Amino acid sequence: MLRELEVASEILLAPPNIVTKEQRQSAEQIFLNFRKTKAPYVLCRHILDTSRVDYVLFEAAGLIKETLIRDWSMLQESDVLSLRQYLLQYVLNHLSLAPFVRERILQVIAVMVKRGSVDDFGLERSSIVAEIESLILHGDTVKKSLGCSIITALMQEYATTVKSSDAGLTWETHFKVKKQFEASDLKRIFKFCITAFSELIKAESVLNDPQTVNLLRSLLSITSSVLCWGFISASHILFIILLIGIFETVYESDQTPALRLISSWKDIIVDEKLISCFFQVHWKVRENTDLSHYSLMCLAQLASLTGPVVSDMQVKSRFISCYISNLITFLKSIKVLNTEALGFAQVFRKLLTFYSPTLLVTLPNELFPQLVQELQRLTCHFAEGAAYEETICSEDCRFIEAFEHLLEAWVSVLQCSPIYPPGFIKEPAVQIFNTYLKCHLAPPDGSRGQGGADHNEEEIYETEEPDRVRFKEQLIIIGIFGRQVLEHSLPLVAKLIEERTERLQSQLQRVFAQTYSISDSTQTVNLFEDLHWLLLVTGHLVAQESEGEQALIPSDLMTYTVQQSQHIDVQANIKLLTTKGMTPSQLQVPLTSLDGMIRILSAILRLCEVESQALEAKLVSVMSPELGSTIVWFLSHWAKSYLLPIDTLYTEVSPALDAAFISNESTVPNWVMNQLLEKVEANLRLCPNETALAKDSANLLLTLVDKPKKAAKILNCSGILTVARFLHNAPRCQPARRELTRGVTLAAAGEPNQTKRLEYLQQVLSPFVDRATEIMSSTNFKKECHEESVRLELIDLLECFTGSIQASSSSSAGCILQILNPVIGRLPELLSCYSNYSLLVELILEFLTESAKRTLWCLEEDSQNVQFLYKVFLNVMQAYARENIGRKSASSIISEEDSCRDLLLILELLTSIASKNFLEKISLDESVETVKAVDICIFGTEVIAPLLTTELLQFPQFCLKFYAMVTFTAEAYPERMSTVPDSLLVPIMTAINLGLTAYGPEVCSQCCDFIGSMSLHLSSHPELVNTSFGNYMHDFLKRMFHLIITCQMNSDCLMNASKSLFHLICCFQQSYHQLVNEILSVQTEDVARERLTNAFGELTTELNLTPDRANLLKFRDNFEKFVANVHGFLLVK
Amino acid sequence: MADTQLDDTQFETGDSGASQTYPMQCSALRKNGFVMLKVSVGISPSSFRFNPSLIPQSRPCKIVDMSTSKTGKHGHAKVHLVGIDIFSSKKYEDICPSTHNMDVPFVKREDYQLTDISDDGYLTLMSDNGDLREDLKVPDGELGEQLRSDFDSGKDLLCTVLKSCGEECVIALKTNTALEK
């Protein structure tokens, strides 16, 4: 037997060219059989004693473990004891064992200890820990490291995570023994590790002796896992079930949890010696990357100490004072190594996250100012490192990461700025702001690119994030720093932008005069990059990110400009702003009389002017599309807060800003707006091939119309009609056409008078409509439609229509529909013509989907417009069905999600229609003969059903949308859904049944909701019970219970499941009781059956099985307990 | 690059007369649209001089992937095209500055009613206006099998024929429901 195994292991481990596939398979079979051996203890002992083949030893240990777990309850205590002692002795006697075999055997021991501790409350474990303690403290180096391995194996078994092996315990028991282990032995382990450390670090140098290094590594790994241990204080099983999920996510996200300790740890943790011990350990090992990783992790975890152990404020202050003073002394005496950067950044981040500056400022000996000083020093240092890593495009981005951590730490510091003495934060803010700028500017002003290679030749793909996305977090915080010292930062960036714009201008003049040399072109690229970064920094300095909220002028900036206003000459500012292309010195305006913000904006408008002039002069190939994009990004980011804001938002506004950007009375805001519109138009016209630039420019247009107040102003600008005219005549396939049309259409919201609004919209949209009708009304259209030019033009027009319908608002939807009406009515016909051209089919469906989404909600259901749209939807779907049912094409094997985009769009359309009516169902008037939303939904489902395949459902997006649509329809129209013909019912119900398990939690919740709505409907319509619909619902009762009890249903869906189960139980009470009896009868274990019986009893206790809200809520609570309870004892980890 | 120099030599395929392609700016191309992509041949450009038939030929392709890139952060967009030959399903790639022109094939799709399949595998197709043609073969692969079995079982079939650059083939079929009404 042994010989056979040894030969088999040789074959298994042999390189592939020596053995055949068959040999390998039969060798594998030998081991698979071996793993099934019954009562293998004697055999395994024999193997362990005699074999020399590591792999066989490993398998033997594994077999022991599996058998132990399986047969634990049948084993004699004495057998267990002797086996464990045998294994322990075995490891002690075979010190030269291969590490993986040793670990495996130790794991077996750990499993035995853990199982044993369930019965003896950990008595034996404590004695084992005591043994190991003496091994570690007094044994020789080899024994010491063996001791460490045992501890590691033990801790792994008791930990909460997937790391521990299946020990055959339920979660409930697992948590019980884990708590027991935490309370008794974990602290002891930590303590003797510390003792061992203090011995080890007495030596002058610890890194020379490899054995000591190994031992240190083991000890550090143990202590760091203690400090990262997921301590749980919850005692209730319900919480525990919830916590499992939380712990798993925390571990996966590699963010270690805070060190949260109970008060019994006080004597050891809140100890000055302990803190200085960890700093000393790090001092000794910092040259060794491997070890210093652990020691820094320990330090970072200590910095996050919270919980009852430091609930006393004095204790807390004492602890953190000691920590900080050690930290400062340490940092002052060393130069941070590259490998330490990330670790120390973590220390600062944790420290400032868990210890608020409000506490830290109260510490004695100026500790907080010193800490901030160190933080500042490191931040500047890491900023430089990060910039260097960026230039060399290093894979290794430890400085970038470390820098970002430190910035996070700064956020905590900056948030508390009101409590610091005046000027406290100024110095660091100036330093950090300057350093950041310097790192991103070319020499001589800055240090960008020094030491790095030239990257101007590198290919950059569109998938790469642009800087403004990639470095957004950094830039936001740098902006906060800048706003701490506006008197410094505003003039600085203004000056830098002015200067570089001038330089750029003279460079471009040289190009024009053809005196441009190669060295000039490098300089130009440097200027582009400088300006690019200056705009990014300035953008975040003057305006905050405002996604999803009202954009505001930052209050510190507002206060600053108000304070400055006494020196400011409003007229001079306006003159500078509105005189195109002139610098302050050319206008002879003293810089001191300029408002900071206005000076910056006029500098940037000047840059726009320089750029546009160059483009007009056909220097497109010299200019940078990237800088162009950054410029329009800045303008749009800036305009969101500054240009024509709602003035009631501000209590005080500086006169200069008011006159330039805010006031309704002033004409200057209008002038600025027109400048921006002209920039949009110039970019589109002069750089038609840069898609990204076109999109960013369109985006600027959209910010200019995002508020009715702005839209009202924009209607007075000549620029908006320039853009519209550009669109009417734009070259074919102009990028961002849809967004641009949306922009010009949105402006209509600014016109309060309905007739005038219609007039404006006609002016903007009619040319598109006229052109489309002209094409489609041609007598030869049936033939012409296949011509490429016709098709391309229709594609462009459809893009415009979609853009305009996207701009629908409650005030404009009616007008837009009225204008587009002639085109919309012909879409079914168009779809039939182009059924062979997927792009056009998709565009038509997309247009309809958008119109369902954007316009239906603001129109009355029985209004003409809605009826018109409904009919079009119906006709288009009929046309689609006619063209696609029974169709098979050469590319029907779906290879990409793209190929089902048309179906996806139909689903989206149906969902929008179903949801619209869901909101306004009450207003339905049954007497009038109208198309109802429900007709479209049911018809649409009929169209989709025959095209539905399991392959199609494998596409996550399609799958989600399909289920969402079916569920929505069921919620809105259960009466129709329950009476659909079998030809439709069968595919729907099959899909729902499949969705419960096959496609993840989100789909599962949808299916539960579907069953819930339909069973609720059934409970009020008992006559449906015996239909095939009723039969399906009946089957769902059993299926869902089965899924829940066997834990096949994701815990995220349980809330939805409870609702549908309750309704199902209400409908089929008798079947429910039968089902319960069935489930109970298959339970073999008495205890489990009894607990299950009780659990079922409690599930329906104190509630009536009538489907009303009160009972439903009660059932939901009961159900939650039921699940936690049942899984607690049925589910074996 | 020799390739670009040869670009100007107009390469004619199939029947003469009206041009089979037209130029379009590269940035205006779309995914799922069509473009002529060069068939790369593994020979040195110099050998073209001796054998004109080795001049890289272009094939009408459906664009299945389109992405842009630029050289350096402040560079200008270039378009990467991946296309599949609409007749042979072979894959071709090309890269082109977004301001340059590419040739786009005229592509037509027409539906014909299937009236017969000859013994040697030719289809008898009838157009909308009743004209008959018998010059197309049963398509290869799964589609061809489906076509035969559907035809044998007596279904009325419509075939979608794709035509471009003088080549034609059946790319889709569908059961004709129009006749039932």
Side-chain angles (χ1 to χ4, degrees), chain A residues 458-459 467 529 624 626 689 788 836, chain B residues 22 27 31 70-74 109:
Chain A
E458 204 180 324
E459 277 306 297
D467 289 340
E529 183 73 359
S624 156
E626 177 81 16
N689 300 303
E788 194 75 7
N836 278 328
Chain B
Y22 61 98
S27 62
K31 195 173 166 183
K70 52 186 178 179
T71 309
K73 201 196 274 180
H74 300 282
R109 277 172 253 211

mmCIF file with all atom_site columns, all heavy atoms in Angstrom, chain A residues 458-459 467 529 624 626 689 788 836, chain B residues 22 27 31 70-74 109:
data_model
loop_
_atom_site.group_PDB
_atom_site.id
_atom_site.type_symbol
_atom_site.label_atom_id
_atom_site.label_alt_id
_atom_site.label_comp_id
_atom_site.label_asym_id
_atom_site.label_entity_id
_atom_site.label_seq_id
_atom_site.pdbx_PDB_ins_code
_atom_site.Cartn_x
_atom_site.Cartn_y
_atom_site.Cartn_z
_atom_site.occupancy
_atom_site.B_iso_or_equiv
_atom_site.pdbx_formal_charge
_atom_site.auth_seq_id
_atom_site.auth_comp_id
_atom_site.auth_asym_id
_atom_site.auth_atom_id
_atom_site.pdbx_PDB_model_num
ATOM 1   N N   . GLU A 1 458 ? 4.710   57.657 -26.336 1.00 0.00 ? 458 GLU A N   1
ATOM 2   C CA  . GLU A 1 458 ? 4.000   56.477 -25.863 1.00 0.00 ? 458 GLU A CA  1
ATOM 3   C C   . GLU A 1 458 ? 2.564   56.453 -26.367 1.00 0.00 ? 458 GLU A C   1
ATOM 4   O O   . GLU A 1 458 ? 1.927   57.490 -26.483 1.00 0.00 ? 458 GLU A O   1
ATOM 5   C CB  . GLU A 1 458 ? 3.985   56.519 -24.337 1.00 0.00 ? 458 GLU A CB  1
ATOM 6   C CG  . GLU A 1 458 ? 3.814   55.197 -23.700 1.00 0.00 ? 458 GLU A CG  1
ATOM 7   C CD  . GLU A 1 458 ? 3.823   55.361 -22.198 1.00 0.00 ? 458 GLU A CD  1
ATOM 8   O OE1 . GLU A 1 458 ? 4.587   56.230 -21.708 1.00 0.00 ? 458 GLU A OE1 1
ATOM 9   O OE2 . GLU A 1 458 ? 3.060   54.679 -21.544 1.00 0.00 ? 458 GLU A OE2 1
ATOM 10  N N   . GLU A 1 459 ? 2.095   55.236 -26.668 1.00 0.00 ? 459 GLU A N   1
ATOM 11  C CA  . GLU A 1 459 ? 0.698   55.113 -27.107 1.00 0.00 ? 459 GLU A CA  1
ATOM 12  C C   . GLU A 1 459 ? -0.229  55.180 -25.895 1.00 0.00 ? 459 GLU A C   1
ATOM 13  O O   . GLU A 1 459 ? -0.036  54.471 -24.908 1.00 0.00 ? 459 GLU A O   1
ATOM 14  C CB  . GLU A 1 459 ? 0.479   53.768 -27.804 1.00 0.00 ? 459 GLU A CB  1
ATOM 15  C CG  . GLU A 1 459 ? 0.878   53.732 -29.265 1.00 0.00 ? 459 GLU A CG  1
ATOM 16  C CD  . GLU A 1 459 ? 0.231   54.814 -30.096 1.00 0.00 ? 459 GLU A CD  1
ATOM 17  O OE1 . GLU A 1 459 ? -1.014  54.841 -30.225 1.00 0.00 ? 459 GLU A OE1 1
ATOM 18  O OE2 . GLU A 1 459 ? 0.977   55.650 -30.618 1.00 0.00 ? 459 GLU A OE2 1
ATOM 19  N N   . ASP A 1 467 ? -6.351  62.308 -16.662 1.00 0.00 ? 467 ASP A N   1
ATOM 20  C CA  . ASP A 1 467 ? -5.834  62.758 -15.368 1.00 0.00 ? 467 ASP A CA  1
ATOM 21  C C   . ASP A 1 467 ? -6.922  63.272 -14.447 1.00 0.00 ? 467 ASP A C   1
ATOM 22  O O   . ASP A 1 467 ? -6.892  63.055 -13.243 1.00 0.00 ? 467 ASP A O   1
ATOM 23  C CB  . ASP A 1 467 ? -4.804  63.879 -15.577 1.00 0.00 ? 467 ASP A CB  1
ATOM 24  C CG  . ASP A 1 467 ? -3.525  63.341 -16.190 1.00 0.00 ? 467 ASP A CG  1
ATOM 25  O OD1 . ASP A 1 467 ? -3.308  62.117 -16.083 1.00 0.00 ? 467 ASP A OD1 1
ATOM 26  O OD2 . ASP A 1 467 ? -2.771  64.136 -16.771 1.00 0.00 ? 467 ASP A OD2 1
ATOM 27  N N   . GLU A 1 529 ? 1.376   70.628 -21.156 1.00 0.00 ? 529 GLU A N   1
ATOM 28  C CA  . GLU A 1 529 ? 1.258   69.826 -19.942 1.00 0.00 ? 529 GLU A CA  1
ATOM 29  C C   . GLU A 1 529 ? 1.164   70.726 -18.702 1.00 0.00 ? 529 GLU A C   1
ATOM 30  O O   . GLU A 1 529 ? 0.364   70.476 -17.800 1.00 0.00 ? 529 GLU A O   1
ATOM 31  C CB  . GLU A 1 529 ? 2.465   68.873 -19.854 1.00 0.00 ? 529 GLU A CB  1
ATOM 32  C CG  . GLU A 1 529 ? 2.456   67.929 -18.675 1.00 0.00 ? 529 GLU A CG  1
ATOM 33  C CD  . GLU A 1 529 ? 1.440   66.790 -18.789 1.00 0.00 ? 529 GLU A CD  1
ATOM 34  O OE1 . GLU A 1 529 ? 0.713   66.749 -19.805 1.00 0.00 ? 529 GLU A OE1 1
ATOM 35  O OE2 . GLU A 1 529 ? 1.371   65.972 -17.868 1.00 0.00 ? 529 GLU A OE2 1
ATOM 36  N N   . SER A 1 624 ? -3.002  70.831 -28.818 1.00 0.00 ? 624 SER A N   1
ATOM 37  C CA  . SER A 1 624 ? -3.224  69.609 -28.050 1.00 0.00 ? 624 SER A CA  1
ATOM 38  C C   . SER A 1 624 ? -4.713  69.407 -27.783 1.00 0.00 ? 624 SER A C   1
ATOM 39  O O   . SER A 1 624 ? -5.329  70.222 -27.098 1.00 0.00 ? 624 SER A O   1
ATOM 40  C CB  . SER A 1 624 ? -2.483  69.697 -26.722 1.00 0.00 ? 624 SER A CB  1
ATOM 41  O OG  . SER A 1 624 ? -3.087  68.859 -25.778 1.00 0.00 ? 624 SER A OG  1
ATOM 42  N N   . GLU A 1 626 ? -5.879  67.284 -25.840 1.00 0.00 ? 626 GLU A N   1
ATOM 43  C CA  . GLU A 1 626 ? -5.990  67.040 -24.397 1.00 0.00 ? 626 GLU A CA  1
ATOM 44  C C   . GLU A 1 626 ? -6.165  68.360 -23.648 1.00 0.00 ? 626 GLU A C   1
ATOM 45  O O   . GLU A 1 626 ? -7.043  68.497 -22.798 1.00 0.00 ? 626 GLU A O   1
ATOM 46  C CB  . GLU A 1 626 ? -4.727  66.317 -23.904 1.00 0.00 ? 626 GLU A CB  1
ATOM 47  C CG  . GLU A 1 626 ? -4.673  66.063 -22.411 1.00 0.00 ? 626 GLU A CG  1
ATOM 48  C CD  . GLU A 1 626 ? -5.481  64.844 -22.002 1.00 0.00 ? 626 GLU A CD  1
ATOM 49  O OE1 . GLU A 1 626 ? -5.825  64.047 -22.893 1.00 0.00 ? 626 GLU A OE1 1
ATOM 50  O OE2 . GLU A 1 626 ? -5.775  64.707 -20.807 1.00 0.00 ? 626 GLU A OE2 1
ATOM 51  N N   . ASN A 1 689 ? -12.573 65.885 -35.581 1.00 0.00 ? 689 ASN A N   1
ATOM 52  C CA  . ASN A 1 689 ? -12.169 64.487 -35.499 1.00 0.00 ? 689 ASN A CA  1
ATOM 53  C C   . ASN A 1 689 ? -11.768 64.048 -34.105 1.00 0.00 ? 689 ASN A C   1
ATOM 54  O O   . ASN A 1 689 ? -11.352 62.920 -33.901 1.00 0.00 ? 689 ASN A O   1
ATOM 55  C CB  . ASN A 1 689 ? -11.002 64.234 -36.449 1.00 0.00 ? 689 ASN A CB  1
ATOM 56  C CG  . ASN A 1 689 ? -11.404 64.541 -37.858 1.00 0.00 ? 689 ASN A CG  1
ATOM 57  O OD1 . ASN A 1 689 ? -12.358 63.975 -38.362 1.00 0.00 ? 689 ASN A OD1 1
ATOM 58  N ND2 . ASN A 1 689 ? -10.724 65.501 -38.473 1.00 0.00 ? 689 ASN A ND2 1
ATOM 59  N N   . GLU A 1 788 ? -26.135 54.203 -49.166 1.00 0.00 ? 788 GLU A N   1
ATOM 60  C CA  . GLU A 1 788 ? -25.335 54.511 -47.983 1.00 0.00 ? 788 GLU A CA  1
ATOM 61  C C   . GLU A 1 788 ? -25.545 55.942 -47.488 1.00 0.00 ? 788 GLU A C   1
ATOM 62  O O   . GLU A 1 788 ? -25.712 56.187 -46.302 1.00 0.00 ? 788 GLU A O   1
ATOM 63  C CB  . GLU A 1 788 ? -23.860 54.270 -48.324 1.00 0.00 ? 788 GLU A CB  1
ATOM 64  C CG  . GLU A 1 788 ? -22.941 54.214 -47.144 1.00 0.00 ? 788 GLU A CG  1
ATOM 65  C CD  . GLU A 1 788 ? -23.063 52.913 -46.361 1.00 0.00 ? 788 GLU A CD  1
ATOM 66  O OE1 . GLU A 1 788 ? -23.781 52.004 -46.826 1.00 0.00 ? 788 GLU A OE1 1
ATOM 67  O OE2 . GLU A 1 788 ? -22.444 52.833 -45.296 1.00 0.00 ? 788 GLU A OE2 1
ATOM 68  N N   . ASN A 1 836 ? -32.821 44.990 -41.692 1.00 0.00 ? 836 ASN A N   1
ATOM 69  C CA  . ASN A 1 836 ? -31.563 44.290 -41.904 1.00 0.00 ? 836 ASN A CA  1
ATOM 70  C C   . ASN A 1 836 ? -30.354 45.082 -41.405 1.00 0.00 ? 836 ASN A C   1
ATOM 71  O O   . ASN A 1 836 ? -29.236 44.621 -41.493 1.00 0.00 ? 836 ASN A O   1
ATOM 72  C CB  . ASN A 1 836 ? -31.369 44.001 -43.392 1.00 0.00 ? 836 ASN A CB  1
ATOM 73  C CG  . ASN A 1 836 ? -32.127 42.773 -43.798 1.00 0.00 ? 836 ASN A CG  1
ATOM 74  O OD1 . ASN A 1 836 ? -32.278 41.862 -42.989 1.00 0.00 ? 836 ASN A OD1 1
ATOM 75  N ND2 . ASN A 1 836 ? -32.612 42.758 -45.021 1.00 0.00 ? 836 ASN A ND2 1
ATOM 76  N N   . TYR B 2 22  ? -16.638 54.466 -51.453 1.00 0.00 ? 22  TYR B N   1
ATOM 77  C CA  . TYR B 2 22  ? -16.538 55.923 -51.386 1.00 0.00 ? 22  TYR B CA  1
ATOM 78  C C   . TYR B 2 22  ? -15.705 56.279 -50.175 1.00 0.00 ? 22  TYR B C   1
ATOM 79  O O   . TYR B 2 22  ? -15.643 55.513 -49.208 1.00 0.00 ? 22  TYR B O   1
ATOM 80  C CB  . TYR B 2 22  ? -17.923 56.555 -51.318 1.00 0.00 ? 22  TYR B CB  1
ATOM 81  C CG  . TYR B 2 22  ? -18.699 56.134 -50.105 1.00 0.00 ? 22  TYR B CG  1
ATOM 82  C CD1 . TYR B 2 22  ? -18.742 56.945 -48.958 1.00 0.00 ? 22  TYR B CD1 1
ATOM 83  C CD2 . TYR B 2 22  ? -19.385 54.923 -50.081 1.00 0.00 ? 22  TYR B CD2 1
ATOM 84  C CE1 . TYR B 2 22  ? -19.441 56.543 -47.845 1.00 0.00 ? 22  TYR B CE1 1
ATOM 85  C CE2 . TYR B 2 22  ? -20.082 54.522 -48.970 1.00 0.00 ? 22  TYR B CE2 1
ATOM 86  C CZ  . TYR B 2 22  ? -20.106 55.338 -47.849 1.00 0.00 ? 22  TYR B CZ  1
ATOM 87  O OH  . TYR B 2 22  ? -20.788 54.929 -46.752 1.00 0.00 ? 22  TYR B OH  1
ATOM 88  N N   . SER B 2 27  ? -12.767 59.222 -38.563 1.00 0.00 ? 27  SER B N   1
ATOM 89  C CA  . SER B 2 27  ? -13.449 59.427 -37.285 1.00 0.00 ? 27  SER B CA  1
ATOM 90  C C   . SER B 2 27  ? -14.952 59.252 -37.426 1.00 0.00 ? 27  SER B C   1
ATOM 91  O O   . SER B 2 27  ? -15.661 59.098 -36.442 1.00 0.00 ? 27  SER B O   1
ATOM 92  C CB  . SER B 2 27  ? -13.138 60.819 -36.743 1.00 0.00 ? 27  SER B CB  1
ATOM 93  O OG  . SER B 2 27  ? -13.632 61.777 -37.651 1.00 0.00 ? 27  SER B OG  1
ATOM 94  N N   . LYS B 2 31  ? -18.872 51.556 -35.336 1.00 0.00 ? 31  LYS B N   1
ATOM 95  C CA  . LYS B 2 31  ? -18.889 50.138 -35.068 1.00 0.00 ? 31  LYS B CA  1
ATOM 96  C C   . LYS B 2 31  ? -20.134 49.552 -35.741 1.00 0.00 ? 31  LYS B C   1
ATOM 97  O O   . LYS B 2 31  ? -21.178 50.216 -35.773 1.00 0.00 ? 31  LYS B O   1
ATOM 98  C CB  . LYS B 2 31  ? -18.954 49.912 -33.557 1.00 0.00 ? 31  LYS B CB  1
ATOM 99  C CG  . LYS B 2 31  ? -18.608 48.497 -33.180 1.00 0.00 ? 31  LYS B CG  1
ATOM 100 C CD  . LYS B 2 31  ? -18.528 48.356 -31.685 1.00 0.00 ? 31  LYS B CD  1
ATOM 101 C CE  . LYS B 2 31  ? -18.516 46.877 -31.354 1.00 0.00 ? 31  LYS B CE  1
ATOM 102 N NZ  . LYS B 2 31  ? -18.508 46.628 -29.942 1.00 0.00 ? 31  LYS B NZ  1
ATOM 103 N N   . LYS B 2 70  ? -3.772  57.667 -28.912 1.00 0.00 ? 70  LYS B N   1
ATOM 104 C CA  . LYS B 2 70  ? -2.977  58.791 -29.401 1.00 0.00 ? 70  LYS B CA  1
ATOM 105 C C   . LYS B 2 70  ? -1.544  58.580 -28.975 1.00 0.00 ? 70  LYS B C   1
ATOM 106 O O   . LYS B 2 70  ? -1.271  57.879 -27.996 1.00 0.00 ? 70  LYS B O   1
ATOM 107 C CB  . LYS B 2 70  ? -3.530  60.108 -28.850 1.00 0.00 ? 70  LYS B CB  1
ATOM 108 C CG  . LYS B 2 70  ? -3.699  60.119 -27.346 1.00 0.00 ? 70  LYS B CG  1
ATOM 109 C CD  . LYS B 2 70  ? -4.376  61.392 -26.894 1.00 0.00 ? 70  LYS B CD  1
ATOM 110 C CE  . LYS B 2 70  ? -4.580  61.370 -25.394 1.00 0.00 ? 70  LYS B CE  1
ATOM 111 N NZ  . LYS B 2 70  ? -5.200  62.577 -24.894 1.00 0.00 ? 70  LYS B NZ  1
ATOM 112 N N   . THR B 2 71  ? -0.639  59.215 -29.701 1.00 0.00 ? 71  THR B N   1
ATOM 113 C CA  . THR B 2 71  ? 0.764   59.093 -29.346 1.00 0.00 ? 71  THR B CA  1
ATOM 114 C C   . THR B 2 71  ? 1.130   60.251 -28.438 1.00 0.00 ? 71  THR B C   1
ATOM 115 O O   . THR B 2 71  ? 1.119   61.390 -28.860 1.00 0.00 ? 71  THR B O   1
ATOM 116 C CB  . THR B 2 71  ? 1.638   59.129 -30.615 1.00 0.00 ? 71  THR B CB  1
ATOM 117 O OG1 . THR B 2 71  ? 1.109   58.174 -31.518 1.00 0.00 ? 71  THR B OG1 1
ATOM 118 C CG2 . THR B 2 71  ? 3.067   58.781 -30.303 1.00 0.00 ? 71  THR B CG2 1
ATOM 119 N N   . GLY B 2 72  ? 1.371   59.941 -27.204 1.00 0.00 ? 72  GLY B N   1
ATOM 120 C CA  . GLY B 2 72  ? 1.658   60.985 -26.222 1.00 0.00 ? 72  GLY B CA  1
ATOM 121 C C   . GLY B 2 72  ? 0.366   61.620 -25.740 1.00 0.00 ? 72  GLY B C   1
ATOM 122 O O   . GLY B 2 72  ? -0.646  61.615 -26.438 1.00 0.00 ? 72  GLY B O   1
ATOM 123 N N   . LYS B 2 73  ? 0.412   62.187 -24.542 1.00 0.00 ? 73  LYS B N   1
ATOM 124 C CA  . LYS B 2 73  ? -0.811  62.733 -23.949 1.00 0.00 ? 73  LYS B CA  1
ATOM 125 C C   . LYS B 2 73  ? -1.408  63.841 -24.803 1.00 0.00 ? 73  LYS B C   1
ATOM 126 O O   . LYS B 2 73  ? -2.614  64.009 -24.889 1.00 0.00 ? 73  LYS B O   1
ATOM 127 C CB  . LYS B 2 73  ? -0.508  63.268 -22.547 1.00 0.00 ? 73  LYS B CB  1
ATOM 128 C CG  . LYS B 2 73  ? -1.752  63.377 -21.697 1.00 0.00 ? 73  LYS B CG  1
ATOM 129 C CD  . LYS B 2 73  ? -1.529  64.256 -20.486 1.00 0.00 ? 73  LYS B CD  1
ATOM 130 C CE  . LYS B 2 73  ? -0.943  63.478 -19.342 1.00 0.00 ? 73  LYS B CE  1
ATOM 131 N NZ  . LYS B 2 73  ? -0.721  64.356 -18.162 1.00 0.00 ? 73  LYS B NZ  1
ATOM 132 N N   . HIS B 2 74  ? -0.528  64.626 -25.466 1.00 0.00 ? 74  HIS B N   1
ATOM 133 C CA  . HIS B 2 74  ? -1.050  65.755 -26.225 1.00 0.00 ? 74  HIS B CA  1
ATOM 134 C C   . HIS B 2 74  ? -1.116  65.465 -27.729 1.00 0.00 ? 74  HIS B C   1
ATOM 135 O O   . HIS B 2 74  ? -1.195  66.381 -28.539 1.00 0.00 ? 74  HIS B O   1
ATOM 136 C CB  . HIS B 2 74  ? -0.220  66.997 -25.931 1.00 0.00 ? 74  HIS B CB  1
ATOM 137 C CG  . HIS B 2 74  ? -0.267  67.354 -24.474 1.00 0.00 ? 74  HIS B CG  1
ATOM 138 N ND1 . HIS B 2 74  ? -1.338  67.982 -23.904 1.00 0.00 ? 74  HIS B ND1 1
ATOM 139 C CD2 . HIS B 2 74  ? 0.593   67.083 -23.462 1.00 0.00 ? 74  HIS B CD2 1
ATOM 140 C CE1 . HIS B 2 74  ? -1.118  68.114 -22.602 1.00 0.00 ? 74  HIS B CE1 1
ATOM 141 N NE2 . HIS B 2 74  ? 0.040   67.570 -22.312 1.00 0.00 ? 74  HIS B NE2 1
ATOM 142 N N   . ARG B 2 109 ? -28.485 45.125 -48.877 1.00 0.00 ? 109 ARG B N   1
ATOM 143 C CA  . ARG B 2 109 ? -29.106 43.884 -48.435 1.00 0.00 ? 109 ARG B CA  1
ATOM 144 C C   . ARG B 2 109 ? -30.484 43.809 -49.048 1.00 0.00 ? 109 ARG B C   1
ATOM 145 O O   . ARG B 2 109 ? -31.269 44.738 -48.876 1.00 0.00 ? 109 ARG B O   1
ATOM 146 C CB  . ARG B 2 109 ? -29.235 43.900 -46.919 1.00 0.00 ? 109 ARG B CB  1
ATOM 147 C CG  . ARG B 2 109 ? -27.972 43.487 -46.220 1.00 0.00 ? 109 ARG B CG  1
ATOM 148 C CD  . ARG B 2 109 ? -28.100 43.697 -44.770 1.00 0.00 ? 109 ARG B CD  1
ATOM 149 N NE  . ARG B 2 109 ? -27.282 44.843 -44.409 1.00 0.00 ? 109 ARG B NE  1
ATOM 150 C CZ  . ARG B 2 109 ? -26.690 44.959 -43.225 1.00 0.00 ? 109 ARG B CZ  1
ATOM 151 N NH1 . ARG B 2 109 ? -26.883 44.041 -42.310 1.00 0.00 ? 109 ARG B NH1 1
ATOM 152 N NH2 . ARG B 2 109 ? -25.958 45.997 -42.962 1.00 0.00 ? 109 ARG B NH2 1
#
